[in-house]
Amino acid sequence: MNQKIERLLAQVQKPGRYVGGELNAVMKDPREVDVRFAFCFPDTYEVGMSHLGMKILYSLLNEKAYIWCERVFAPWVDMEQQMRDHGVELFALESGDSLRQFDILGFTLQYELSYSNILNMLELAGIPLRSADRPGLEHLVVAGGPCACNPEPLADFVDLFFLGEGEEVDLEVVDLYRTCKKEGRSKREFLFAAAQIPGVYVPSLYTVTYNDDQTIAAVTPEEGVPAKVTKRLMLDMDRSYFPDKFVVPYIEIVHDRTVAEVFRGCIRGCRFCQAGFIYRPVREKSVEVVNQQCFDLCSNTGYNEISLSSLSTSDYTALHPLLDRLMEWTKEDKTSVSLPSLRVDGFTDELTSKIKTVRKSGLTFAPEAGTQRLRDVINKNVKEDELMKTVNMAFSGGWSTIKLYFMIGLPTETLEDVAGIAELGQKVVNAYYANPDKPKGRGVSVTVSASSFVPKPFTPFQWEPQDTIETLRQKQKHLVRSVTSRKVTCNYHDADTSFMEAVFARGDRRLCAVLEKAHALGCKFDGWNDYFSLSKWREAFAACGVEPEFYANRRRSFDEVLPWDHLDYGIRKEFLIEECQRAYADTTTPNCRESCSACGAACFKGGICHEAR
């Protein structure tokens, strides 16, 4: 680390965020590599270091001798001020070098409210924000992650987007970049060639035109550029790259444990859930591969807790055999196994006995809606009696703390549905006291958390309006009034930030100017309540002549051209329309293992769509 950076550390709250040098961090000689890649996470070190995708791609890129991938995080406000005061540019953790010394800056787009941090990080590095102002091949800005499924609000700043999973396509683009750099090709030549790689979207090669009512008329590609860009995905998860070690942080991070991926995708089809559709089809890893990956990671990091990661871990078909294999060595090594993302209908007595090694800090389930009618609307396919059976099983197994996740503002929701959230929480409390096998001498704690519904691209609810901020606040007050017991704690998510999330989730390129103006007004860390300012954002919208309600609170017709219609995630638009119509008929759709709903994901010719049924 250079001395200039070192001198700043005494002035900041958490210097461990900025020092680097952790166990398993990769060091290389910059003179011996052809491409320097900065993996940029637009949030704090603690959040970014918890992210599995970053761990995978960091190791994958660094396995190539000619690439050095380093990590970059958004500095917290105290460090940013010190950097600005002392003229220190944003730097990478491994080398301490400024981002201006890197060829490629890769941002991961995990949530819409991180977009202002992307611009702030570029500015801190002294790199022009707009791709048009970066004419050379150096400082190429690329981005991927779930929010890349609607990249339009960032189209003016990012040179190219990766759609879908990055293990193969990232390397293909870096290899192309290496060739073009050696041959002295122009940035435009590189971008045109990159656009031919499946899964790569180059926004500058597409022109967007608008109708008089501000909706999109057409998205037109340049000649020789694909009209539709299809996502990439790894079909054989057992052969998909996975590291045998992670960088081990010096300070506590959000998820400070070993994380092992058991499968990708989800069979369920909850109609609000973007991840459940954009990661289709379901592709599982074998027990042998997951077990070996867990063992290697624990051996090479020293962690004594394993988290089995997926969108719905209890849907992994070999969960019990996997837990049996893991217990063969985790018991002896005093390593605990945790199962996040458990479904209400996936919690069994057998599972309870197998995860006794987990500290009984609490169990989390997501009924999502307070009434059966609304659970049918969103296709949750969970019945109240199943929830009661599950919590009773948990109470008999020694748990006394339950968290229940819900959404407020779902399509067709009434105040009766909102009150149903509190009523369901109370029923769980009552079940505890009626259970003869409950833990002795302990009270029960039930937390109901309600986030606000955000309509997302590539879901059956992508056409739905979000409730206005005022309506969401009325529903939140109604929820609090409906809680009648001190044993039920009620939390809800700030409606202002949910509104902004909806604006950018369904926005188009006109939001680029708004984002740039908001950055100039000082917007950053919008995902943090301490720093989010809706008034600043409204000032930016007004200055650009853009109405945010046009994106968040407007119902869209099925025949409207959506900002992401030229991107293909394998899900047929007709299927999403059918699912939206089924929602309004309170009709559920069976999960993918029960029967195929012809969503379109079979086009990838892999995963559950092509398993022997």
Side-chain angles (χ1 to χ4, degrees), residues 43-82:
D43 210 320
T44 61
Y45 177 91
E46 294 94 315
V47 176
M49 283 293 290
S50 302
H51 180 240
L52 180 61
M54 184 176 207
K55 298 172 197 278
I56 294 171
L57 295 173
Y58 174 82
S59 298
L60 171 75
L61 292 167
N62 277 319
E63 286 214 343
K64 300 295 180 185
Y66 55 88
I67 306 170
W68 188 12
C69 176
E70 302 183 51
R71 295 163 298 142
V72 185
F73 301 95
W76 190 242
V77 286
D78 57 353
M79 183 62 167
E80 179 186 333
Q81 194 57 56
Q82 291 294 322

Side-chain angles (χ1 to χ4, degrees), residues 353-384:
S353 63
K354 282 179 179 169
I355 57 173
K356 290 273 187 178
T357 57
V358 181
R359 293 184 294 277
K360 288 193 175 58
S361 53
L363 285 170
T364 301
F365 299 104
E368 306 294 2
T371 61
Q372 192 58 51
R373 182 199 69 80
L374 195 53
R375 283 193 291 275
D376 290 345
V377 167
I378 63 176
N379 203 44
K380 189 64 190 176
N381 281 323
V382 165
K383 300 275 191 285
E384 189 176 298

Side-chain angles (χ1 to χ4, degrees), residues 39 83 117 129 160 189 208 218 248 277 283 304 312 326 328 341 367 492 500 523 541:
F39 197 121
M83 290 165 65
N117 272 7
L129 304 186
L160 65 83
E189 286 175 311
V208 182
V248 182
F277 290 98
R283 293 142 291 140
N304 63 356
S312 176
L326 289 171
E328 289 172 10
S341 310
Y492 53 81
M500 283 304 302
C523 289
F541 281 110

Side-chain angles (χ1 to χ4, degrees), residues 387-502:
L387 176 64
M388 291 303 132
K389 182 182 167 192
T390 293
V391 295
N392 271 310
M393 225 181 291
F395 296 148
S396 300
W399 278 273
S400 60
T401 303
I402 301 285
K403 287 183 185 172
L404 300 173
Y405 284 155
F406 296 90
M407 276 192 185
I408 278 183
L410 288 160
T412 80
E413 182 183 67
T414 64
L415 289 180
E416 188 182 322
D417 296 313
V418 175
I421 294 172
E423 289 164 17
L424 201 54
Q426 185 59 49
K427 286 176 183 174
V428 173
V429 170
N430 297 344
Y432 181 81
Y433 288 108
N435 189 320
D437 301 319
K438 64 180 179 288
K440 302 291 180 278
R442 293 218 302 264
V444 67
S445 168
V446 176
T447 302
V448 297
S449 292
S451 61
S452 302
F453 165 69
V454 177
K456 296 271 184 163
F458 296 103
T459 68
F461 291 157
Q462 65 182 359
W463 296 277
E464 293 294 310
Q466 184 183 51
D467 277 350
T468 63
I469 291 174
E470 293 71 28
T471 301
L472 287 171
R473 286 184 180 149
Q474 287 167 6
K475 288 181 175 181
Q476 288 166 347
K477 285 176 184 169
H478 188 67
L479 171 60
V480 173
R481 283 196 300 266
S482 302
V483 173
T484 56
S485 162
R486 288 184 182 177
K487 299 291 182 185
V488 178
T489 306
C490 181
N491 301 323
Y492 53 81
H493 194 265
D494 176 50
D496 290 359
T497 52
S498 298
F499 170 69
M500 283 304 302
E501 192 182 334

Side-chain angles (χ1 to χ4, degrees), residues 14-278:
K14 291 188 178 179
R17 290 167 163 163
Y18 313 106
V19 295
E22 310 99 319
L23 175 69
N24 298 329
V26 177
M27 296 300 296
K28 296 186 182 183
D29 185 338
R31 294 165 298 187
E32 293 179 4
V33 298
D34 298 330
V35 180
R36 294 191 71 179
F37 191 107
F39 197 121
C40 304
F41 198 99
D43 210 320
T44 61
Y45 177 91
E46 294 94 315
V47 176
M49 283 293 290
S50 302
H51 180 240
L52 180 61
M54 184 176 207
K55 298 172 197 278
I56 294 171
L57 295 173
Y58 174 82
S59 298
L60 171 75
L61 292 167
N62 277 319
E63 286 214 343
K64 300 295 180 185
Y66 55 88
I67 306 170
W68 188 12
C69 176
E70 302 183 51
R71 295 163 298 142
V72 185
F73 301 95
W76 190 242
V77 286
D78 57 353
M79 183 62 167
E80 179 186 333
Q81 194 57 56
Q82 291 294 322
M83 290 165 65
R84 290 188 185 278
D85 290 348
H86 295 89
V88 173
E89 293 179 341
L90 185 60
F91 55 91
L93 286 193
E94 280 73 8
S95 63
D97 289 344
S98 162
L99 258 62
R100 287 208 287 168
Q101 296 181 42
F102 284 76
D103 297 297
I104 303 175
L105 284 64
F107 286 90
T108 180
L109 310 176
Q110 295 300 311
Y111 31 88
E112 291 85 357
L113 295 180
S114 68
Y115 292 176
S116 56
N117 272 7
I118 294 175
L119 270 58
N120 199 45
M121 290 170 77
L122 289 173
E123 188 197 85
L124 281 171
I127 291 169
L129 304 186
R130 287 184 170 260
S131 46
D133 297 330
R134 302 188 300 265
L137 199 51
E138 73 280 1
H139 306 151
L140 186 80
V141 176
V142 304
C147 292
C149 70
N150 177 22
E152 297 304 286
L154 289 168
D156 291 348
F157 312 108
V158 176
D159 294 306
L160 65 83
F161 292 90
F162 299 111
L163 307 188
E165 297 163 4
E167 286 93 336
E168 292 173 341
V169 67
D170 285 23
L171 278 176
E172 289 167 20
V173 168
V174 173
D175 284 346
L176 173 67
Y177 181 92
R178 181 191 188 203
T179 301
C180 290
K181 184 182 170 185
K182 280 181 178 173
E183 295 175 358
R185 295 219 209 149
S186 69
K187 179 178 178 179
R188 177 168 170 81
E189 286 175 311
F190 164 76
L191 289 176
F192 195 86
Q196 313 306 319
I197 298 174
V200 175
Y201 171 54
V202 181
S204 60
L205 301 180
Y206 295 76
T207 302
V208 182
T209 51
Y210 299 90
N211 298 309
D212 291 340
D213 65 357
Q214 304 300 306
T215 58
I216 292 173
V219 178
T220 311
E222 284 191 17
E223 195 175 336
V225 176
K228 277 219 169 196
V229 184
T230 303
K231 75 168 181 180
R232 291 287 289 274
L233 80 170
M234 306 302 298
L235 286 174
D236 187 344
M237 288 303 296
D238 277 356
R239 292 177 179 272
S240 181
Y241 177 84
F242 199 79
D244 60 3
K245 54 180 175 285
F246 294 157
V247 178
V248 182
Y250 286 135
I251 63 173
E252 190 174 346
I253 60 175
V254 177
H255 300 299
D256 210 359
R257 60 184 77 100
T258 288
V259 182
E261 199 178 19
V262 292
F263 70 89
R264 287 185 189 169
C266 183
I267 62 172
R268 297 291 171 170
C270 299
R271 291 174 180 139
F272 60 84
C273 178
Q274 186 180 59
F277 290 98
I278 66 172

